[in-house]
Amino acid sequence: MAVQAVPTKGNLMNAKKSLALAKNGYELLDRKRNILIREMMTLIDHANTIQKKIDSAYEEAYIALQTANITNGFCEDISNAVPLENGLHLESRSVMGVEIPILTMDETEKHNFLHYGTRTTNSAVDKVYILFTRVKVLTVELAEIENSVYRLAVSIKKTQKRANALKNIMIPRFEETVKFITDALDEKDREEFSRLKVIKRKKLRDSQQK
C-alpha cells in the first residue's frame, strides 16, 4: 500500500490534479495505440500483397534466367555490365511520433536502357533484366513496409506498457490518495462540527445558569 499523503486541502488539490493528468495521459496513450495499430494493420495488409507480387516476380524472373542461361550460356559476364544500385534514398514520416521510413529510388536513365551489348545476347536476357529490375523495386517497397511495421510494433508495445502503468498503478494510487484525504478531511469536519456543537451547548447552559 502506498504511503498516504498528509490530509490537507492543498494535498487534496494536488492529488486531484495528478489524477486528472493521469486519466488524460491514459486517454491520449490509448488513442495513440489505436492509431498506431490501425496504421500497422494497413501496412501488414499491404505487405502481404507485395509479398505475393514478389514471390510471383522472383519465380518469373528465375524461369527467365534459366532460359537466358540456356540460350546465351551463363550470364555472369553479362550481369557484370549492369551497374550497382546506388540510387536508394531514405527519408521518413512521422505517425504519432513514430518515425516511419520512406525509401525511394532514383528514376535515372540507367533503368531505361540496357547496359550490355545486344549483338551477343537475345531477348531472353532483356527479359531477365526487366524482370529482376521489377523484383528490385518490389523488394525496396517491401523492405520499407516491413521496417515500418517493426517500428510501429515496438512503439505499440511501449505505449501499451505506459498505458497499463497509468491504468493499473498510477490512476488507482491517485484515486486512493484522493479518497483517503477526502475521508480524513470529512472526518475532521465532522469532529469540528461536533466540537462546535458541544461548545455551543455549554455556552447556552452557562448563559441560562446566569
Side-chain angles (χ1 to χ4, degrees):
M1 183 175 178
V3 177
Q4 297 291 0
V6 177
T8 64
K9 290 184 178 180
N11 284 339
L12 178 60
M13 291 177 60
N14 290 335
K16 286 183 175 180
K17 186 181 297 184
S18 296
L19 176 59
L21 288 173
K23 288 182 175 180
N24 186 53
Y26 172 75
E27 290 176 1
L28 291 175
L29 288 173
D30 188 56
R31 191 180 310 163
K32 175 181 178 180
R33 182 197 60 177
N34 291 332
I35 292 173
L36 293 179
I37 288 175
R38 284 198 299 270
E39 180 75 16
M40 186 178 71
M41 296 308 297
T42 300
L43 289 175
I44 288 175
D45 290 340
H46 192 192
N48 291 333
T49 301
I50 297 297
Q51 186 63 62
K52 291 177 182 178
K53 290 182 179 179
I54 286 181
D55 292 342
S56 176
Y58 264 112
E59 182 179 359
E60 190 177 358
Y62 276 112
I63 291 174
L65 180 59
Q66 291 176 357
T67 302
N69 284 333
I70 291 172
T71 58
N72 291 269
F74 286 104
C75 300
E76 183 176 355
D77 291 338
I78 300 174
S79 66
N80 290 332
V82 179
L84 295 175
E85 178 59 62
N86 57 5
L88 195 62
H89 301 284
L90 175 62
E91 297 179 355
S92 64
R93 63 186 177 93
S94 179
V95 178
M96 298 298 291
V98 182
E99 293 298 313
I100 302 300
I102 300 176
L103 292 175
T104 55
M105 294 177 61
D106 287 339
E107 294 295 331
T108 60
E109 292 183 357
K110 71 179 182 180
H111 295 140
N112 300 324
F113 68 89
L114 303 177
H115 302 274
Y116 47 83
T118 56
R119 288 192 306 168
T120 57
T121 61
N122 58 22
S123 60
V125 175
D126 300 341
K127 185 177 181 180
V128 170
Y129 177 77
I130 293 170
L131 290 176
F132 272 101
T133 297
R134 180 168 179 266
V135 167
K136 177 174 63 178
V137 172
L138 288 172
T139 301
V140 169
E141 187 175 357
L142 183 62
E144 174 189 307
I145 295 171
E146 288 185 339
N147 189 275
S148 299
V149 169
Y150 173 77
R151 293 189 181 192
L152 287 169
V154 170
S155 182
I156 289 169
K157 184 177 180 180
K158 290 181 179 178
T159 302
Q160 182 66 56
K161 186 175 181 180
R162 291 170 183 167
N164 287 342
L166 285 173
K167 180 181 179 181
N168 300 322
I169 299 175
M170 301 307 298
I171 291 176
R173 182 179 298 171
F174 289 134
E175 288 176 338
E176 181 183 357
T177 300
V178 168
K179 185 177 184 305
F180 169 78
I181 296 177
T182 300
D183 291 346
L185 291 177
D186 287 345
E187 181 64 25
K188 185 177 179 181
D189 288 341
R190 284 193 294 270
E191 290 176 356
E192 182 66 17
F193 180 73
S194 298
R195 188 177 69 83
L196 290 175
K197 285 182 66 176
V198 170
I199 294 174
K200 185 177 180 180
R201 283 199 299 268
K202 185 176 183 300
K203 286 183 177 180
L204 183 60
R205 285 198 303 268
D206 290 344
S207 64
Q208 289 175 348
Q209 289 174 359
K210 291 179 181 179

